[in-house]
Each structure stands twice: as C-alpha cells, then as structure tokens.
Amino acid sequence: MWLKPEEILLKNAFKLWVTEKDNEYFVLQRRRGYGEGAGGLTGLLVGTLDTVLDSTSKVAPFRILHHTSDSQVYWSIACGVTKEEIVQHWDWLLQNIMRTLSVFDSSEDITSFVQGKIRGLIAEEGKTSHKLEDDPEKFREAYLRFENWFALPPEEKLVTYYACSYWKGKVPCQGWLYLSTNFLCFYSYLLGAEVKLVISWDEIWRLEKTSNVILTESIHVMAHGEDHYFSMLLHLSETFVIMEQLADYSIKRLFDKEAFEKERALSDPLQITKRGLEAHAKSEQFRTFFRLPKEENLLEVHESFLWVPFSHFNTLGKICLSENYLCFASQDGSQCHIIIPMREVVNVEKPDTSSRALTVYVRGKRALRFTEVRDYQRLATSIRSRCGISASPQHSASAEVIRGECQSLINHFEDNPDDVTLMVGQKDSSKAVSTEALMTVFHPQDVENLDPKMLKEKMKEQSWNIHFSEYGRGTSMFFTRKTRDLIVRGVPEALRGELWMLFSGAVNDMATHPGYYTGLVEQSLGTSTLATDEIERDLHRSLPEHPAFQSDTGISALRRVLTAYAYRNPKIGYCQAMNILTSVLLLYAKEEEAFWLLVAVCERMLPDYFNRRIIGALVDQAVFEDLIRENLPQLVENMTDLSLFSSVSLSWFLTLFISVLPIESAVNVVDCFFYDGIKAILQLGLAVLDYNMEALISCHDDAEAVTILNKFFDSVTNKDSPLPPTVQQAPVNNNDKSTRLNVDISELIRESYEKYGSIRSEDVESSRKRNRLFVIQTLEDTTKQNVIRVVSQEVKFTPAQLDELYNLFKRQLFLSCYWTMKSPALLHHDPSLAYLEQYQLGFQQFSVLFYLLEPWAFCTNKSTLSLWVFRLIDENQDGLVNFKEFCCALDNLYCGSFTNKLKFLFKLHLPPDFDLPEDGVIKKSPERGRGKVDLQAYLKQWQNEILRKEETIKDLPRINQAQFIQFSKTLYNIFHGDPEEESLYRAVAHVTSLLLRMEEVGRRLQEPSSPAASSKPTPPDGEDQAPLTSKSSDTPSPQEVGPEVPGEDWSFSFEQVLASLLNEPEIVSFFDKHVDIQSKMTQAQVAQLKLTGNSK
C-alpha cells in the first residue's frame, strides 16, 4: 500500500527495523520480530509496542523508504503485509522511477518528484474508496489493519475506529475497537497474548453506558449471554452514539424491515460512513422535535437571534433548514420554537450586511427577523431557492408564484382565511367523506347557554384567542412555555381538532397531499382483506356509549378512515386499539383530518405500536419501568417485581389512556400527547402510581393492585367538561360513590408536569433506543424457544443442539443479507407469520449451511446434488426451507437407521417435480392488508398433515439406469476419504455389478422371444465398473439425470438396492457409525462467515 510521504529519522528506529534491500534512493526494510528470526523477547516487545501505539507495522511489517545521499531524513512511501506485496512496489519503483531520477540536479527536486508521484498514486486509489472519510490516509491504514486482523469479507465496510481498553475478566487489554457496518471488533496484542473479539450487531442484547468503582465510565455490551466492557475511550460519548446507531441500523434492517424501508439514507450497507450516520441521526432528531414528515432531512444549521414580538427581545437559537421547512428553536431556556413551511413564505428581504440580518415574510402579513447570522447570504439564497423549487401544490410558495398565476387551489385558500388556519392545499372532499367533526354534529354548542361550565369554556376560548393574537395562529405559530401552560389547563372543545392537527404536524401532511385521502377511500371501497374483516368486527366496539357511534354517520366515517389507512399501510393494516383512538379523533376533527392524525400517530409519534408484535409499546413499557426506578424509589423498594406495571400500562400506551379513563377526561390527556408526545403519557403514568403509592405498597397480590388502579381511573372526572351527561362516559363501577373521592383530570395532569416535567424528551428517546435492542432480542428468543419446542418432537437432537442449529440457521440467513441492498431472504422475513415460517432459507443460503453440517462430504457448496437435497426437503415446494424441514433432513442423516439414510439418498435421485428460479426463491405471501388469507386452505393443509401416513419403502418409485449410475457416484463421493475407502469402493462395485446382472436375467426371463433382450450382453466385471468406479466428485446437470431417458426399459426398485447393500457389512457399518454433530457445528461457527463471503 502506498503511503502519504512522512519524515522518519532512521537513527531512532535502527533497533526495530532490518534492511532487506537498498539502493541510492530507496530502502526496503522488515520489522524485527516478523519473518525470518521472528519470535523471542524482541518479537513480543515489538508486537506489543506496535499494537498499543497503533503502528501500521503490526499488520504491515514491510516498508519502503525514500532518501538521498546528502540528507539524514528518510521518507516512508509504502508498506506491505507480505514480502510479495512490498516486492511488487519495489519493482514498480525500479522500473518507473529510478531511470527518471538521474535527470534531476538537486536532492530537493528528487524528493519533490518522488513525493508527487506517490501522492498521485494514492489519489488514484482513493477515487473510489474512503473518499468520504475525514482523514483518508489514516483511514486507509486502519482499514488495512482491520482487514488483516479479522479476515472478514472484503465487502465489509469499516465505519470508524477508536483506541480503548477491553476488560477481559478483571484485566484490561489495551487495543483498538473497530466499528463496521455489521460487526463490532476489538484487537489487542500484549506480550504475546492476542485478544480478538468479533460480535455482529444483530447479536447484541444490551448496549449502554455504565460506571462503577473500578470503571469510572465505560460502554457495556451484552451478547450471547456474555458481558463486554470497553473503557478509557478518549471520545466515549461519540463512540457510544456511533455504536448505538449501528446496532439500531442492523436491528431495523434485519428484524424490522418495515421501519427500515423508510430509511432510504442508509439503504445501502456498502455506503455507510461515520459522517452519514451522524447526519442521519441529526435529521432524525430534527424531524422528531419539529414533528416533520419522514422525507425531510436537516440540510443547514445556522446560529442566530430571532426577534420575538410578544416578548420584545431577541432570543438566541438555531435556524434549521430542510427541503421544505424553515424551523427555529431557542437555546436560552425560553422553550420557544417555530415551524415555517416553505409554501407559506412570501418573500425574503435583501440581507442587512451591518447586522448580518435577514427578514422572512410569511403569508398572513407576518415577518420573522433573524439577526447575527454568520452565513446570512447563503441562508437567504437557500430559502429563496427552496421556495422556488417547484410550482406544485406542495411547495408553491415563492413570491413570484404568489404574485403570478397561482394555482386555483391556493387561490381558493387565500380568499378563505378561515380555511388557511386548517391547512393550505386541502381539496374538497367527495360526498362520501364527512366534512364536520362528529362532536359538532351530535353535540352542537348552545351559544345562549350561560351555565358555569359553558362560561368557563368561553373563557378558555378567549385565552386561546389572546394567545393567537400574540403568538400567531396556524402553521407559523410560536410554540412557547405559555402554550404548554394553556394545554395543561385544557383545550376548549371548539379548538381541539385544529390544535391537534397543528401540534402533531398532520397539518403539513394534509397540506402537501391534497385529495390523497379521497382517492384512498375510493380505491379501498369494497375491498375485502383480513384487515377489513377485523375492522368490521370492531366497528361497534368503538366508544359504543357515545351517540356518534350509535348512528350510521359515525360508524361509516370510522370504517372509511380505518379502511383507507389499512390500504395506505398494508404492513400495519389494522390492529386493535386503532379503532378506539380513531373514534376520539373523529369526534373533534373532520374525517380527512382524523385520517392524517392517525397517520401522524401510527408512523411518527408512536412508531411500531400498531403491528402484530407491538414492539413500540413494549419498548415504552421498558422505558416506563426505568422511570419508575428513577422517580419512585419507595415503590421499587416495596415491589421488587415491576412487571405488573408493564402489563397494566400496555393499554395506557396503546390507547393514550382512552380505554381506562372516561372520554371527557381522556381527551385532556390526548391534548398533552399531541403537544409533548410520549413524554406526556409517561409523566401521567408516574403521577397515577404516585397518587396510589400507599395503596399499592400495602396490597398483597397483583389482582389487588389492578383493582386499586381500576377504581382510581373510575374516580377521575373532568369538572370543567361542557359535554352533557348523555355524551359523558359513566364509571364502570358505580358502587361506593359516597366513600370514593373524585380526582380532577386537570389537577392530575398539572401534578404530572410539576413533579415529572423535568423528564427530557432526549432522554426518553435514548432510553427507547437502549431498550429496543433488549425487547426485540427477547421476542426473537421467544420465537426460537417456540420453534425448538415444536421441532424437538420430530427429531432426536437435544434442545441444546437444536439451539445451536437454530443460531446457525438464522445467522446464515442474515449473512446473506449483510452486503446486499435487497436480499431475497430479507424479502420473505415476516414477523407476523407463524414461528416456523419467520426465518426460511433460499437455495443459495441452504447450500452453504448444508455443506457445513452434512455428516459426509457428498455434497459440495455449489453442486447439483445440493439442489436435489433442497428440492427433496422443501415439502410445500415454495422454494424456501424452514428450520423444521432442515432439522428433519439432518436428523435423518445423523440419527436415522441404515434404511432411512439409504432411502434419503435414493429419493435424491428421483426426477425433480419443479424448477427452481435463479435466485433460489419463489415469490409468495401477499402483503398483509392487501390480500385475503384463505383460512379454508390452511385448515385443509393442516388436516392433510395430520392424516398423512408414513411413507413405506414400497411407495418409492423405481430409478432408471442414468439415475442409478448417479446414485452409485454419490455413494463413491460419500466414502471418499474414509479409512476403509478401498473396501467400500469394492463393496459398491460388487453391488452394482450384481444388480445389473439380476436385472439382465429378469429381462431375459420376461422376454424370451425378443431379439432385443440379448442386444446388450452383460459386460465383464472389469468393463461394467468403469463408469461406476470413477472417483470424480463432478455431478451431471439436472438435464442429464432428469426424467427417464428414452429407450431405457429397465430400472431398480428401492427394495432391490436395499437388499443388495445389506449384504455388504462394510457399507452397513459405515452408515451405522456415529457422527458427532457437535464438532460439525463448532467447525461451522468458525467457517460460516468465511465461506459465505467467498461464495458471494
């Protein structure tokens, strides 16, 4: 490898290097302790020094130096791992450089020329690799070490590396931590002791920062039940964030492909870089904070002051610019932020050079003045260009477009200011879509009603109107601490839908997709899927006590919203709890608004909540447990098992407390959720437990604790609710009214903010990432245990052996996905399927794993025979093999009787029933939500499996001559390398000769008068064995050994073959000999990664 020329004083290194070759201008050297004379104390010390100091010499013990006769300074210009590699560089210098150097007059010119040439070579090499790294030269050296030490496939992408200590027991090993796309690797070499660690990201259960008495701060990694600690990192926080991102990337890519498909920035595993991960993390944080669509990416960040008109001062903060949004967030504790869609920007004033300021004019005669912007010219240019990118309804916001011929859609909203407060770009709904919130239809407000509750409601509206006049209204409103205070007090009924749309970011989704919902309703109308069946079943269970859902109006609107969403997102389709949430959304928002609110909740605010495994809810349960330990120590001391609160709180998270609180109280919780996200739900959960602390501590069992909480929720009221008794939800338990004290929801929410408002959203997100690993791995482990329990009834392997086989099976699937963007194997991983069907191997993956685990060397990695094995064990002929099918085949070969093993080999050579596609995978399984599951077909298949009788040897068809020849070749391949190889070969030759003679005699007896009967005389022993005793492992193509060959009118039955082979004791003893599968699995664990990489 060519190196960037660096000065070296040779006199300081004369003890560490030995000169192998030299001439007038170059020196080739070898590191002491390597090559000839390696070992001894010198080798140990040099090796340790190289590792600790991160010397390239550890993996590149050869180097070439450049020097001139009149200088004491040497320049390193190349290094090599092997002598052959460095000699190639040496020869290149002699052929291309040496002759040219003689024309220069001065040493400086010679050195300058050599350095220029080497830099040119490096630049040429770096055009395609490492071009995105901050220091390409150092990264090349690190990549060389990484490649040499861990021998991973060349496709594996090194992301970054750090010096650190790895604690092996109580002893720290100083070395280097390498983080690549799919692996966490560590290497240390101290005084002859080499420590090498390779962990794939998808095997990690825990990843967290820890500290104790010995380690002030370290990173804890748990994988395979073992704990690993890394400390003494110079940039520990940075290292942890990168590790967290890589682990999360791997988990999403391999276990949760629905979420990963939306991460386009990280779709190619071969292009992952540290810089790319950091940019992705910042964009994700940016979208989460400002509630922006998934398509937005953080493009620019500028520090500046923003003039806040309501406070009459400049607040310090950061301007964040994405493709379609201009956002600002304060950093001075004022909790002020604002979101400006580019479609709302009318003009950008010419920047003021004196104060480095620019003014952005927004629709509605508003202006935002940013000052002290360092790169104000660039920001102004970016905003102008973003506003004028497109004239589509989504982004038609430039001044020219507005002043010119605006589209009729935008003109309509400019002429109707009331509609602008909802969103720009909304399209008239079809007649089938409701245009009013259900609450306004079934409970219109009486303007003349002057009872205390209505008066208080009017006061709330007045407070919000004052807030709108000061802070703005609609998409460009300022969000401040005062906004949160108003939310905590309660949102007036008339403004609830508008504010939910604004706080959730759904207002922007709807504005940029005019007519989208109406189109979905028309497309999904009349479709019949599993999701629509479930929706119909649950329609009348959604707030059945509310008048709106006792009528066809409410039920039809609910049906349309849920069906449209199932059609939009078939990966989720429909899940229970979505009906309850959507019902409440329809009460306060128009039908189309309710749809976009549901999109915001399911796809942004509560990710992974509404699917078969409800991973998101389980993760937040774990986060809730962590918060209980931190904030309620008294409860933890008296209740060691917190799993009760996890199970109880599941409905809290899934339905935002709607299922446990009366509807008039639950909507106040939903108000807080749309403003503060999951943080509001966690805070309220802590407040509920805190309120019932004494009762929970004194309870004797879980049932009593659940009863206490249920009674508490029944006692929660909303004393300010203006809803009539017919709309309000009555408590489930009406008993003990006199003894029960009512709790006002506003007071409960206010208490949750006062006591637990210090919980930061950033900490919640960090805890989510940390617990997500453990939750998903726990679900995966549950799947594994269920699969092993089912398969153990069919095979003779022990549970421990099945556990190892499952790990190898699953790892083989993942290895085939590590270095490709769209692996066929990943396309067929569906966690919603039955346990056995979740992980299945295509032919390519199967052939590698079967080659590693088969008991005899009869099936090479890419042989035709491996295709026949795959065809045989793929019982349903779908081009995929599940774990049960794979284990049954191995069980037959390892633990089966002589007859069963022979029957397996015999069936391999029968004609194939179907052709396999090129990639080894037959496409199947329609996406969930789109296709209807044929339950009758499943039941029929299940019944057939139960009634299926065991196959006997008489059921097997006969094999023709070509197939029998191939069967004989397979036996030769199996016996190859065995100590009794020669005697086994003779036994097979004897059996084949005997069978051929028997068949010839049988044909003569059946056709005594036919001249064709003797047209093929039986060859002598030496001749008939020539094609059969070939030791070649080459197997013919399927065409050669396919269906019966025309003109051949004789064949063998399995009974004949079995009877003949039973007469050969050598063959019987060979197949009865025990083969240790444990040693095979141990070897497979080591060779699996290397073989998969080589087979690509």
Side-chain angles (χ1 to χ4, degrees):
M1 181 177 76
W2 298 107
L3 300 176
K4 181 181 177 181
E6 290 185 357
E7 283 189 26
I8 289 178
L9 292 176
L10 200 60
K11 64 178 182 179
N12 294 332
F14 71 98
K15 292 183 178 179
L16 301 178
W17 294 89
V18 178
T19 299
E20 299 268 317
K21 296 181 179 181
D22 64 346
N23 57 37
E24 186 179 356
Y25 300 109
F26 301 104
V27 179
L28 190 156
Q29 295 183 326
R30 170 179 56 82
R31 190 75 162 175
R32 286 189 185 275
Y34 298 90
E36 297 177 7
L41 183 59
T42 303
L44 291 178
L45 291 173
V46 171
T48 300
L49 187 65
D50 289 342
T51 302
V52 173
L53 298 180
D54 187 30
S55 172
T56 308
S57 310
K58 173 63 183 174
V59 290
F62 297 92
R63 71 178 183 182
I64 297 176
L65 306 178
H66 163 66
H67 73 103
T68 54
S69 56
D70 57 351
S71 174
Q72 294 294 317
V73 177
Y74 286 71
W75 298 84
S76 64
I77 59 173
C79 67
V81 178
T82 63
K83 190 167 184 178
E84 291 75 14
E85 180 186 354
I86 203 69
V87 166
Q88 285 182 358
H89 284 53
W90 179 266
D91 292 340
W92 187 91
L93 290 170
L94 295 180
Q95 295 170 13
N96 297 278
I97 301 292
M98 282 294 293
R99 296 177 183 176
T100 310
L101 297 182
S102 59
V103 304
F104 293 101
D105 297 328
S106 66
S107 301
E108 290 79 4
D109 292 341
I110 292 174
T111 301
S112 178
F113 175 78
V114 171
Q115 290 179 358
K117 271 290 184 184
I118 301 302
R119 287 194 178 96
L121 291 171
I122 294 173
E124 195 65 30
E125 289 179 357
K127 280 184 178 179
T128 55
S129 61
H130 318 309
K131 60 184 177 182
L132 297 177
E133 306 305 332
D134 294 330
D135 190 345
E137 181 61 32
K138 291 198 72 173
F139 195 85
R140 286 171 73 246
E141 296 177 13
Y143 181 75
L144 182 66
R145 294 191 294 273
F146 170 75
E147 199 175 40
N148 186 66
W149 283 338
F150 303 107
L152 296 172
E155 296 88 356
E156 183 62 14
K157 178 77 169 61
L158 177 63
V159 176
T160 188
Y161 61 101
Y162 300 95
C164 71
S165 288
Y166 168 62
W167 290 78
K168 194 174 182 183
K170 295 183 179 180
V171 180
C173 303
Q174 182 64 32
W176 290 86
L177 179 68
Y178 293 87
L179 308 179
S180 66
T181 307
N182 300 295
F183 299 95
L184 178 156
C185 306
F186 176 83
Y187 184 86
S188 174
Y189 182 87
L190 293 172
L191 299 177
E194 187 178 57
V195 178
K196 193 181 293 187
L197 180 70
V198 179
I199 302 173
S200 59
W201 294 113
D202 56 83
E203 297 169 341
I204 293 178
W205 282 62
R206 288 277 188 198
L207 179 62
E208 56 194 352
K209 286 194 282 189
T210 60
S211 60
N212 53 43
V213 178
I214 301 175
L215 302 175
T216 54
E217 201 172 17
S218 63
I219 296 175
H220 171 220
V221 177
M222 188 178 86
H224 300 299
E226 298 180 359
D227 294 307
H228 308 276
Y229 292 90
F230 301 92
S231 65
M232 298 181 67
L233 285 145
L234 187 60
H235 305 287
L236 188 137
S237 295
E238 176 191 305
T239 309
F240 177 74
V241 168
I242 294 292
M243 292 171 72
E244 197 175 50
Q245 290 168 354
L246 286 169
D248 184 60
Y249 165 77
S250 180
I251 288 292
K252 281 183 178 178
R253 183 164 181 260
L254 300 175
F255 296 114
D256 188 17
K257 68 176 187 297
E258 289 88 355
F260 178 75
E261 286 171 356
K262 301 168 188 174
E263 307 284 356
R264 296 178 183 176
L266 301 178
S267 59
D268 187 357
L270 302 182
Q271 300 299 324
I272 301 298
T273 62
K274 178 184 174 184
R275 189 182 300 174
L277 286 171
E278 290 172 346
H280 179 264
K282 288 177 181 176
S283 293
E284 198 171 48
Q285 188 178 7
F286 164 71
R287 290 191 297 264
T288 302
F289 182 83
F290 292 108
R291 307 278 169 79
L292 298 179
K294 290 280 187 184
E295 297 77 23
E296 297 301 312
N297 294 293
L298 182 61
L299 302 177
E300 297 179 27
V301 178
H302 301 268
E303 195 170 272
S304 76
F305 286 90
L306 172 63
W307 173 252
V308 184
F310 50 84
S311 300
H312 303 289
F313 72 90
N314 283 310
T315 181
L316 175 65
K318 287 187 177 179
I319 302 171
C320 301
L321 195 67
S322 69
E323 289 88 346
N324 303 303
Y325 295 89
L326 170 67
C327 306
F328 177 87
S330 66
Q331 294 178 296
D332 56 3
S334 62
Q335 298 180 6
C336 167
H337 72 272
I338 186 170
I339 305 164
I340 308 292
M342 291 295 184
R343 64 179 183 274
E344 294 288 313
V345 177
V346 176
N347 195 12
V348 180
E349 193 179 75
K350 188 176 180 180
D352 181 2
T353 55
S354 60
S355 59
R356 292 184 297 180
L358 72 156
T359 305
V360 178
Y361 292 94
V362 184
R363 203 187 303 265
K365 298 180 180 180
R366 296 188 57 201
L368 300 173
R369 183 172 175 79
F370 299 99
T371 57
E372 299 300 327
V373 185
R374 179 175 297 178
D375 202 351
Y376 60 94
Q377 294 280 9
R378 177 188 170 194
L379 177 60
T381 304
S382 295
I383 296 174
R384 287 198 190 99
S385 63
R386 299 277 163 205
C387 293
I389 285 177
S390 169
S392 66
Q394 289 93 329
H395 313 298
S396 53
S398 68
E400 292 182 9
V401 173
I402 293 171
R403 287 192 297 267
E405 295 182 357
C406 293
Q407 295 187 15
S408 59
L409 185 62
I410 295 179
N411 278 334
H412 165 74
F413 281 94
E414 287 193 323
D415 296 336
N416 298 273
D418 292 338
D419 293 346
V420 177
T421 61
L422 297 176
M423 60 210 67
V424 178
Q426 183 179 346
K427 193 175 181 180
D428 276 343
S429 302
S430 69
K431 295 179 181 179
V433 176
S434 173
T435 57
E436 293 292 337
L438 294 178
M439 194 63 80
T440 61
V441 176
F442 289 89
H443 177 51
Q445 290 192 10
D446 186 358
V447 179
E448 297 180 358
N449 188 351
L450 298 178
D451 64 44
K453 289 186 177 181
M454 284 305 298
L455 286 174
K456 197 158 188 179
E457 186 76 1
K458 293 296 180 184
M459 291 174 62
K460 283 184 184 178
E461 287 186 28
Q462 186 62 28
S463 298
W464 275 98
N465 287 328
I466 293 171
H467 185 274
F468 291 147
S469 65
E470 292 182 0
Y471 299 89
R473 187 170 186 172
T475 52
S476 55
M477 185 179 84
F478 281 91
F479 296 80
T480 66
R481 190 182 285 115
K482 188 176 179 181
T483 313
R484 179 181 280 113
D485 292 340
L486 287 173
I487 290 287
V488 172
R489 289 181 209 163
V491 174
E493 300 280 316
L495 296 175
R496 189 159 267 137
E498 176 187 342
L499 293 176
W500 285 359
M501 290 290 291
L502 181 63
F503 297 152
S504 65
V507 61
N508 293 313
D509 292 328
M510 188 168 168
T512 54
H513 295 83
Y516 177 82
Y517 173 68
T518 305
L520 274 185
V521 170
E522 293 172 356
Q523 293 172 37
S524 60
L525 194 65
T527 58
S528 179
T529 65
L530 182 61
T532 57
D533 291 346
E534 293 175 346
I535 289 169
E536 289 298 324
R537 186 185 62 217
D538 287 347
L539 283 176
H540 295 278
R541 302 177 187 174
S542 311
L543 301 185
E545 71 286 346
H546 198 285
F549 298 101
Q550 294 170 1
S551 71
D552 185 60
T553 303
I555 292 296
S556 297
L558 181 61
R559 178 188 291 113
R560 286 193 294 269
V561 172
L562 291 174
T563 305
Y565 186 78
Y567 191 86
R568 164 191 165 88
N569 192 344
K571 301 294 183 184
I572 291 179
Y574 169 77
C575 292
Q576 286 187 345
M578 288 174 68
N579 61 320
I580 298 174
L581 176 61
T582 308
S583 301
V584 174
L585 298 178
L586 281 167
L587 289 177
Y588 294 98
K590 297 178 183 179
E591 187 176 319
E592 187 172 1
E593 294 172 350
F595 170 79
W596 287 111
L597 284 169
L598 184 63
V599 170
V601 171
C602 294
E603 298 177 13
R604 284 202 305 271
M605 302 186 73
L606 296 178
D608 292 336
Y609 260 60
F610 301 98
N611 53 38
R612 292 290 182 188
R613 301 199 293 177
I614 57 171
I615 290 173
L618 296 175
V619 169
D620 283 343
Q621 281 182 313
V623 174
F624 188 52
E625 275 192 40
D626 291 344
L627 291 173
I628 292 173
R629 292 188 182 92
E630 293 174 16
N631 296 278
L632 301 174
Q634 187 180 353
L635 188 64
V636 176
E637 289 172 7
N638 291 273
M639 298 185 71
T640 52
D641 185 12
L642 299 180
S643 59
L644 162 68
F645 301 120
S646 293
S647 57
V648 169
S649 64
L650 183 60
S651 64
W652 305 355
F653 294 117
L654 282 172
T655 65
L656 308 178
F657 283 94
I658 296 171
S659 62
V660 294
L661 286 174
I663 184 64
E664 66 275 9
S665 300
V667 290
N668 286 36
V669 179
V670 179
D671 295 340
C672 299
F673 167 75
F674 277 123
Y675 190 82
D676 275 321
I678 194 62
K679 173 178 175 285
I681 305 300
L682 295 168
Q683 287 175 185
L684 186 61
L686 291 174
V688 169
L689 297 182
D690 189 20
Y691 194 95
N692 296 276
M693 177 84 73
E694 294 182 6
L696 290 171
I697 289 174
S698 59
C699 66
H700 298 90
D701 53 34
D702 291 352
E704 187 178 348
V706 172
T707 303
I708 289 169
L709 291 173
N710 287 338
K711 285 183 177 179
F712 171 78
F713 288 127
D714 287 341
S715 70
V716 176
T717 62
N718 188 348
K719 63 183 181 182
D720 297 331
S721 175
L723 300 179
T726 55
V727 174
Q728 294 190 22
Q729 183 177 346
V732 178
N733 301 314
N734 288 316
N735 301 326
D736 304 328
K737 282 187 178 181
S738 58
T739 58
R740 189 177 69 238
L741 295 175
N742 289 334
V743 181
D744 183 60
I745 186 64
S746 298
E747 291 298 319
L748 187 62
I749 290 174
R750 183 182 57 78
E751 189 175 329
S752 73
Y753 273 91
E754 287 179 355
K755 288 188 175 181
Y756 309 109
S758 58
I759 297 172
R760 298 168 64 245
S761 298
E762 293 82 358
D763 295 335
V764 171
E765 289 300 321
S766 177
S767 183
R768 272 178 162 180
K769 288 181 180 179
R770 182 175 66 252
N771 284 289
R772 184 181 178 82
L773 285 174
F774 186 78
V775 166
I776 289 184
Q777 294 290 14
T778 302
L779 291 172
E780 290 293 314
D781 191 61
T782 302
T783 299
K784 178 172 73 172
Q785 298 306 325
N786 286 322
V787 169
I788 289 174
R789 187 177 66 251
V790 171
V791 175
S792 62
Q793 300 172 9
E794 307 284 336
V795 298
K796 298 182 181 65
F797 294 134
T798 65
Q801 290 173 335
L802 285 174
D803 189 284
E804 271 192 73
L805 281 173
Y806 185 90
N807 291 337
L808 287 167
F809 187 89
K810 181 177 169 182
R811 191 175 188 228
Q812 187 61 50
L813 177 75
F814 285 171
L815 284 173
S816 67
C817 312
Y818 277 173
W819 304 285
T820 56
M821 291 180 66
K822 292 185 179 179
S823 167
L826 268 188
L827 296 177
H828 292 275
H829 171 224
D830 187 352
S832 66
L833 294 176
Y835 292 125
L836 279 172
E837 308 301 320
Q838 286 188 21
Y839 293 110
Q840 302 180 88
L841 298 183
F843 171 64
Q844 301 298 336
Q845 299 94 41
F846 165 82
S847 61
V848 174
L849 186 59
F850 188 75
Y851 168 71
L852 291 170
L853 292 175
E854 45 138 340
W856 318 296
F858 78 101
C859 190
T860 59
N861 185 13
K862 295 184 179 181
S863 69
T864 308
L865 203 59
S866 64
L867 173 62
W868 297 343
V869 175
F870 182 81
R871 177 207 70 200
L872 177 62
I873 67 177
D874 181 18
E875 295 180 358
N876 58 358
Q877 298 185 358
D878 62 352
L880 296 166
V881 169
N882 63 35
F883 183 66
K884 180 182 176 182
E885 294 168 337
F886 183 77
C887 284
C888 288
L890 286 182
D891 181 67
N892 211 344
L893 295 177
Y894 277 95
C895 309
S897 63
F898 173 78
T899 302
N900 286 337
K901 291 176 181 177
L902 199 65
K903 184 167 70 173
F904 182 87
L905 297 174
F906 183 87
K907 288 166 70 175
L908 286 182
H909 300 82
L910 297 175
D913 297 326
F914 70 97
D915 296 324
L916 208 67
E918 292 181 5
D919 61 359
V921 176
I922 293 178
K923 278 63 182 175
K924 61 167 193 171
S925 302
E927 288 184 323
R928 223 176 122 239
R930 290 280 176 98
K932 187 165 184 177
V933 178
D934 189 351
L935 298 178
Q936 294 296 328
Y938 274 114
L939 290 173
K940 188 175 181 180
Q941 181 183 348
W942 184 40
Q943 184 181 23
N944 291 337
E945 288 181 1
I946 294 174
L947 299 177
R948 184 174 56 191
K949 64 178 183 178
E950 188 175 351
E951 184 183 55
T952 65
I953 59 177
K954 293 183 179 180
D955 297 327
L956 296 174
R958 300 169 71 88
I959 56 175
N960 60 33
Q961 182 182 20
Q963 294 159 359
F964 178 70
I965 291 173
Q966 180 58 43
F967 174 76
S968 302
K969 282 189 176 183
T970 301
L971 290 178
Y972 285 128
N973 291 337
I974 290 174
F975 301 148
H976 181 66
D978 190 84
E980 304 295 328
E981 181 178 355
E982 290 301 323
S983 59
L984 289 167
Y985 281 174
R986 285 195 295 271
V988 173
H990 181 263
V991 168
T992 52
S993 176
L994 178 64
L995 284 171
L996 289 171
R997 286 196 178 98
M998 288 172 56
E999 186 60 29
E1000 187 67 31
V1001 170
R1003 284 197 309 148
R1004 288 176 180 175
L1005 290 175
Q1006 291 174 5
E1007 302 175 10
S1009 60
S1010 173
S1014 57
S1015 61
K1016 284 192 178 183
T1018 304
D1021 288 356
E1023 294 179 20
D1024 72 335
Q1025 295 170 20
L1028 300 175
T1029 55
S1030 169
K1031 297 183 184 179
S1032 170
S1033 61
D1034 295 336
T1035 53
S1037 65
Q1039 289 78 12
E1040 294 173 357
V1041 203
E1044 292 193 5
V1045 180
E1048 301 292 345
D1049 54 356
W1050 58 270
S1051 59
F1052 298 112
S1053 69
F1054 177 72
E1055 291 172 295
Q1056 290 176 302
V1057 176
L1058 176 63
S1060 302
L1061 290 174
L1062 281 172
N1063 289 324
E1064 301 296 331
E1066 294 90 350
I1067 296 178
V1068 174
S1069 61
F1070 175 86
F1071 282 106
D1072 284 341
K1073 184 169 56 178
H1074 172 71
V1075 181
D1076 184 20
I1077 191 173
Q1078 191 62 48
S1079 60
K1080 279 281 187 180
M1081 289 191 294
T1082 304
Q1083 295 169 9
Q1085 288 174 354
V1086 177
Q1088 192 176 29
L1089 177 61
K1090 187 175 181 180
L1091 188 62
T1092 303
N1094 293 338
S1095 66
K1096 287 181 69 62

